[in-house]
Amino acid sequence: MKPIAWAISIVASAALAIASGDGWIAAHWLFVFKPLTTLLIIAFAWPRGADAPARRRWVRVGLLLSLAGDVALLWPVQGFLPGLVAFLLAHLAYIAAFTRGVRFGAWPVAFAAYALVAGAILALLWHGVPQPLRVPVLAYVACLAAMAAQAATAWRAAHADGAAAAHHARHAAVGAALFVVSDALLATDRFGPPLPLAALLILATYWAAQFLMAASMRRGEPMETT
């Protein structure tokens, strides 16, 4: 399918998942359309990135771990910790993808900026985080911030490789930033005052982030030769 057809399919599935999550249609449809939306993004991503197989492998791993996290979080109480672990591992996979040819932490400004954002979010919500979850949540936030900072670092470095490389790296950097926004909204809804239209705000930014991660890989490129 062409990218526009993929985008329409993903948006339609996401809209039905959001409608279910916010109570506009029967709640059980969330169990269908939430994993389906991520599966569609995985299918969109799968043939892309042949020009950079190592990076493609890690993006694929990140997307598959995200799917596992999506399924776990369909059970918000029992599945929260497994979902948190799945997404933490997904962010580690994305970090591995964004360090292909770019040293981790090569742009300290990005890491400092995301550390400030993460610290502010934790400071606002820390009192609402249950004691048993504090260490996992802290580890997750640190990993998320590092992933977003490394994506920004890779974008900055990609400018030296030309406009096309910078264009695709920007997708990943914006996607990573949206991941931070989505998780900040999720944390606020869970550990702070409930958000109105929580599913719309959280899932729309989440799937936009994942779609941009997939779109950050080029399509139709030949495999690298050695």
Side-chain angles (χ1 to χ4, degrees):
M1 287 197 297
K2 293 182 178 181
I4 187 63
W6 279 114
I8 291 170
S9 300
I10 291 165
V11 168
S13 181
L16 290 166
I18 290 166
S20 178
D22 276 333
W24 300 332
I25 62 175
H28 65 262
W29 287 113
L30 187 64
F31 286 78
V32 176
F33 290 110
K34 188 179 182 187
L36 177 60
T37 304
T38 304
L39 279 169
L40 286 169
I41 293 173
I42 292 170
F44 166 72
W46 209 257
R48 303 174 74 94
D51 62 314
R55 186 174 183 277
R56 174 177 67 175
R57 179 171 61 250
W58 285 113
V59 171
R60 286 176 172 180
V61 170
L63 288 168
L64 290 169
L65 285 165
S66 297
L67 175 62
D70 285 341
V71 172
L73 291 176
L74 287 169
W75 292 270
V77 178
Q78 303 94 324
F80 181 78
L81 188 56
L84 191 76
V85 172
F87 277 110
L88 187 151
L89 294 174
H91 294 318
L92 289 175
Y94 286 142
I95 289 172
F98 302 145
T99 51
R100 301 305 92 187
V102 182
R103 181 173 60 83
F104 180 75
W107 191 22
V109 171
F111 281 79
Y114 273 109
L116 287 172
V117 170
I121 294 168
L122 281 172
L124 287 171
L125 300 175
W126 192 247
H127 67 281
V129 180
Q131 190 68 37
L133 290 178
R134 288 190 169 185
V135 171
V137 166
L138 188 61
Y140 178 82
V141 171
C143 188
L144 172 65
M147 183 276 292
Q150 185 60 28
T153 300
W155 178 26
R156 183 172 185 261
H159 285 81
D161 298 324
H167 171 76
H168 285 90
R170 182 178 68 228
H171 285 337
V174 175
L178 284 173
F179 226 128
V180 172
V181 172
S182 178
D183 280 350
L185 292 168
L186 176 63
T188 300
D189 187 61
R190 185 174 181 89
F191 302 125
L195 293 176
L197 299 177
L200 174 61
L201 295 172
I202 295 164
L203 293 177
T205 50
Y206 166 67
W207 280 316
Q210 297 284 32
F211 182 81
L212 286 169
M213 293 294 191
S216 72
M217 298 187 292
R218 301 188 192 191
R219 59 190 177 102
E221 298 286 348
M223 292 290 289
E224 291 177 334
T225 58
T226 55

